[in-house]
Amino acid sequence: MLSIDAIRNVKRVHHLKIGDTLKDVCDLITKHSFQEVPIIDSRGHATATLDVFRLIRYLVRTADKENDMVPECCVRHRLNTIDREESIHNAAYFPVDRFVLDSEDKYIGLLTRADVIGGLIKELEVYNYIFDQIEPGIGILSKDEQLLYQNRKFEDTLQTDKKKTGTIPLKEISSVIPQSADVWGNVPVRYHYNKAGFKGILEYFPILIEKKYFGTLIILYGDQKTQQSDVVTSPHPAFREMKEWKEVREAFPNIVISDPKMEQVVRLALKAARITSNVLITGKTGVGKEIIAEIVHRMGSRADRPLIKVNCAAIPESLLESELFGYEKGAFTGAVEKGKIGLIEAADQGSLFLDEINSLPMNLQAKLLRFLQNQEFYKLGGTRPHKADVRIIVASNWEIKKLVDQGDFREDLYYRLCVIPIHIPELKKRPKDIIPLSMFFLQKYNELYNLDKQLNDAAYNQLLGYDWPGNVRELQHLIEQLVVLTDTDVIDSIHLLEDKKNDENAKQKIEINILRLIPLKEAHELLEQAIFKEAQKQFKSVRDISKKLEVHHSTVVRKINQLKKKQNNFQLMSKHM
């Protein structure tokens, strides 16, 4: 900041001494247009100030201006002073003339309001010069969307002539400014613009003065920023400046993280990346477990080696062992003549990501445990051990500890895998991610389908109020659906309500007709039997049934076996009747 000395070379001539006459006072005021004049004692201290308005009131009552001494009634002993090292901004807070004092409180000059204004103007000129050299456009709009400031880049980009291409009209810039504080959150609102030859990004930051909305700061980036647009956003500058965080931004240009809860997840993933211990990632379906697994792998020492991804629930049980561990020549009918390496061997020196590890059958759990203990495994049909140096990352949408308690997952394998546990919260528990993710998906599908759809404030508020049982995947699906199906360019809350209404209609609950009351336990068994019978009609595999009913596959096997046993018993009883 500029000090007062840098603004004005103050002089000590503009003051009165004790004993000066009214003529001296009038001459000084007339010559310099002062509203008040300091009175300095013999030691150089400002002891009082002569107020011109008090003087005028006195003179109205008339006096001998030539010989009369300054009357006490014209003197004010409360001084407006300021230290010479004070910031010019401090002087601007109270717009009055001030006496400038040195470190010993001696008077050295007068700082007028005109001096303060002149100093601030000089400082603004310096800032203007700096901002004009900056590549991004910078603009400030008032709360009623009037342009208050623009740097040279912003001015060049702003459309003043409709025939001029590569520009953007002010109306379009202001049309997407959120009016609700809930929409702003802790991250900038980002708008991707691609019209009339101009392709760029507009970022909007609220300007709050004493917690009141004053206006909007707009940062405008051209094509260079557009190529790196889908970057991680974080509300905490310290985290944003971390070396690892910058590397995450470079490695994952399409990741969007704004909520502190998700930020903590990434912090933990970065810690896990520095070592090679096994990692267990848990969270509901659609929260982003795979991207966290990628961060663990690609931010670690094995980044240049393969990351093999396997969804344990997507591969039939009969094939899962051969896929993971490979097989030797002639291991089974239909086997490739030369045999085949498994995915574990393919991931040697790299990482193996086993998604939905909760679906791994018990026999393969034992085989995986043996591999984790000594990094050795046997191929299907083989008698010779094979070595592989593989970092294991697993994920589950179930609480593995509960499966252990139920006997559906090996406890020893659980502790082998859960060296570094990472839990990803549901989207509804990290609401500050909802708006940035919505904007990211909106831009993605606008570009994919060559459209320019936008969400208004009401739509954003609607998104914030929804529970998102399908998490990020559901949000992505919804945004794509709205971009494709909405007829207007502006997506409103009514469009979201219509979509959710249709979704609810598609999930109509089964009607249950109660003809007579029976014990609740018996009713529960009958309902369960009916559900599993219907599931067997609709789906061919146990895995598909478990996924639809949202139960572990071992539970499905057990319930179906119980159902078959009851049917067999009923048939035997019928024969003997």
Side-chain angles (χ1 to χ4, degrees):
M1 293 183 178
L2 302 178
S3 68
I4 291 172
D5 272 359
I7 296 168
R8 187 173 189 269
N9 187 18
V10 293
K11 297 180 181 180
R12 294 192 59 186
V13 296
H14 306 315
H15 66 273
L16 294 172
K17 301 186 297 295
I18 295 175
D20 283 345
T21 65
L22 281 177
K23 182 178 185 304
D24 297 326
V25 173
C26 294
D27 289 343
L28 192 60
I29 290 174
T30 304
K31 183 177 179 180
H32 298 287
S33 301
F34 291 152
Q35 291 188 3
E36 59 182 7
V37 183
I39 299 175
I40 308 302
D41 64 12
S42 59
R43 294 175 299 170
H45 292 153
T47 60
T49 178
L50 188 137
D51 190 314
V52 68
F53 299 104
R54 295 189 181 195
L55 176 63
I56 291 172
R57 285 196 296 271
Y58 172 78
L59 295 176
V60 166
R61 296 196 297 271
T62 200
D64 185 350
K65 301 181 186 142
E66 295 289 337
N67 301 308
D68 282 1
M69 303 295 292
V70 176
E72 182 63 25
C73 63
C74 296
V75 174
R76 176 165 51 84
H77 289 274
R78 183 172 51 84
L79 307 179
N80 294 318
T81 63
I82 190 167
D83 188 88
R84 66 180 298 169
E85 299 301 328
E86 281 279 359
S87 162
I88 187 63
H89 298 154
N90 292 344
Y93 279 121
F94 300 98
V96 296
D97 294 346
R98 290 167 176 263
F99 303 144
V100 183
L101 306 179
D102 63 13
S103 58
E104 297 179 354
D105 291 336
K106 290 184 178 181
Y107 172 76
I108 58 174
L110 183 68
L111 181 73
T112 67
R113 281 169 284 190
D115 295 328
V116 174
I117 294 171
L120 292 174
I121 289 173
K122 285 183 180 180
E123 188 169 344
L124 287 174
E125 288 173 353
V126 174
Y127 289 147
N128 285 337
Y129 174 80
I130 294 171
F131 292 147
D132 281 342
Q133 313 313 310
I134 294 176
E135 179 60 29
I138 300 174
I140 297 177
L141 295 184
S142 66
K143 62 181 179 181
D144 55 356
E145 299 177 3
Q146 297 298 313
L147 186 62
L148 301 179
Y149 170 80
Q150 58 182 342
N151 69 349
R152 187 177 300 165
K153 178 66 176 179
F154 195 93
E155 185 179 6
D156 291 342
T157 309
L158 197 63
Q159 186 182 89
T160 54
D161 183 356
K162 291 184 179 181
K163 296 180 181 179
K164 186 179 178 182
T165 59
T167 58
I168 177 171
L170 182 61
K171 185 177 180 181
E172 298 242 6
I173 292 176
S174 60
S175 64
V176 292
I177 295 177
Q179 300 301 316
S180 169
D182 293 332
V183 176
W184 280 110
N186 288 326
V187 294
V189 171
R190 179 176 290 150
Y191 173 49
H192 297 261
Y193 188 84
N194 187 9
K195 287 183 182 179
F198 177 79
K199 185 177 182 180
I201 299 172
L202 293 164
E203 288 184 341
Y204 298 82
F205 299 81
I207 301 173
L208 302 176
I209 298 177
E210 295 180 353
K211 298 183 179 181
K212 292 183 179 179
Y213 176 59
F214 172 79
T216 307
L217 169 65
I218 303 167
I219 310 294
L220 187 151
Y221 300 95
D223 289 337
Q224 183 179 2
K225 170 81 174 185
T226 304
Q227 295 170 3
Q228 305 173 355
S229 61
D230 305 322
V231 297
V232 178
T233 28
S234 168
H236 301 294
F239 186 46
R240 210 178 297 143
E241 293 302 318
M242 286 173 56
K243 180 182 176 182
E244 295 94 335
W245 186 252
K246 291 179 180 179
E247 291 172 354
V248 170
R249 293 178 60 170
E250 293 172 1
F252 300 90
N254 293 327
I255 190 172
V256 178
I257 295 172
S258 298
D259 194 278
K261 293 187 181 72
M262 198 60 188
E263 179 186 291
Q264 186 60 34
V265 170
V266 176
R267 283 179 183 268
L268 190 54
L270 290 173
K271 287 183 180 179
R274 300 189 195 112
I275 54 179
T276 58
S277 300
N278 300 327
V279 178
L280 172 61
I281 305 170
T282 56
K284 298 289 187 180
T285 300
V287 294
K289 296 187 288 294
E290 186 172 326
I291 192 67
I292 297 301
E294 288 191 14
I295 290 175
V296 172
H297 171 74
R298 290 173 60 185
M299 302 307 294
S301 58
R302 298 172 182 248
D304 58 341
R305 306 300 296 172
L307 170 64
I308 305 297
K309 302 175 184 178
V310 184
N311 189 316
C312 298
I315 302 175
E317 279 189 37
S318 57
L319 299 177
L320 191 54
E321 182 177 4
S322 62
E323 287 295 316
L324 285 176
F325 297 96
Y327 56 84
E328 299 288 2
K329 177 183 176 180
F332 53 87
T333 304
V336 177
E337 186 177 346
K338 295 182 179 179
K340 180 184 176 182
I341 67 169
L343 296 174
I344 288 178
E345 193 172 352
D348 189 28
Q349 303 299 315
S351 303
L352 178 66
F353 174 52
L354 299 175
D355 197 6
E356 297 196 51
I357 189 69
N358 49 283
S359 297
L360 196 68
M362 275 291 187
N363 63 313
L364 292 187
Q365 289 182 28
K367 196 165 183 177
L368 178 61
L369 177 62
R370 285 196 296 270
F371 170 71
L372 292 175
Q373 287 172 338
N374 53 27
Q375 297 285 288
E376 282 187 353
F377 66 95
Y378 288 85
K379 291 186 177 182
L380 188 64
T383 57
R384 181 172 58 88
H386 294 263
K387 284 270 188 182
D389 178 15
V390 180
R391 201 259 176 90
I392 300 295
I393 307 169
V394 300
S396 173
N397 53 8
W398 287 76
E399 288 188 39
I400 301 293
K401 195 66 175 70
K402 285 186 177 180
L403 296 179
V404 170
D405 296 339
Q406 295 170 9
D408 293 325
F409 200 89
R410 292 182 64 111
E411 186 174 19
D412 47 4
L413 177 59
Y414 167 71
Y415 289 117
R416 278 280 182 179
L417 294 173
C418 191
V419 179
I420 303 177
I422 300 177
H423 179 71
I424 305 176
E426 300 167 65
L427 183 59
K428 67 180 180 181
K429 293 181 180 179
R430 44 185 171 109
K432 291 179 182 177
D433 277 343
I434 294 174
I435 299 303
L437 282 168
S438 302
M439 292 177 173
F440 168 74
F441 293 132
L442 188 64
Q443 181 225 351
K444 176 181 177 179
Y445 293 116
N446 272 334
E447 291 182 355
L448 180 63
Y449 301 117
N450 197 26
L451 296 169
D452 187 29
K453 301 294 180 69
Q454 298 297 327
L455 292 157
N456 66 10
D457 292 354
Y460 280 125
N461 287 326
Q462 189 76 22
L463 293 174
L464 288 169
Y466 185 58
D467 278 345
W468 301 111
N471 295 292
V472 179
R473 193 173 296 145
E474 181 182 2
L475 175 61
Q476 179 178 3
H477 169 74
L478 175 64
I479 297 297
E480 182 180 12
Q481 193 176 67
L482 291 169
V483 168
V484 173
L485 299 180
T486 305
D487 295 327
T488 60
D489 285 341
V490 178
I491 299 170
D492 198 357
S493 60
I494 189 67
H495 300 119
L496 274 76
L497 291 171
E498 288 174 357
D499 178 83
K500 289 302 167 192
K501 185 178 179 181
N502 294 335
D503 191 45
E504 289 302 318
N505 290 337
K507 296 180 181 178
Q508 284 295 323
K509 295 180 180 178
I510 300 171
E511 278 192 26
I512 299 176
N513 295 319
I514 301 175
L515 302 178
R516 63 186 177 87
L517 291 176
I518 58 175
L520 186 61
K521 184 178 179 181
E522 183 182 345
H524 182 272
E525 289 178 357
L526 290 173
L527 178 60
E528 192 176 77
Q529 290 173 20
I531 288 173
F532 277 96
K533 281 182 182 179
E534 183 62 30
Q536 286 180 285
K537 291 178 184 178
Q538 294 187 26
F539 302 100
K540 295 181 180 179
S541 73
V542 169
R543 293 180 185 278
D544 289 340
I545 294 174
S546 66
K547 192 171 183 179
K548 182 65 178 177
L549 298 183
E550 297 184 0
V551 294
H552 195 261
H553 75 280
S554 61
T555 303
V556 176
V557 172
R558 187 170 64 251
K559 294 294 182 182
I560 290 176
N561 288 337
Q562 290 174 357
L563 186 61
K564 287 180 180 178
K565 188 176 180 181
K566 286 184 179 181
Q567 289 175 338
N568 292 336
N569 291 339
F570 179 75
Q571 289 173 358
L572 287 172
M573 289 175 63
S574 299
K575 286 181 181 180
H576 293 290
M577 288 178 68

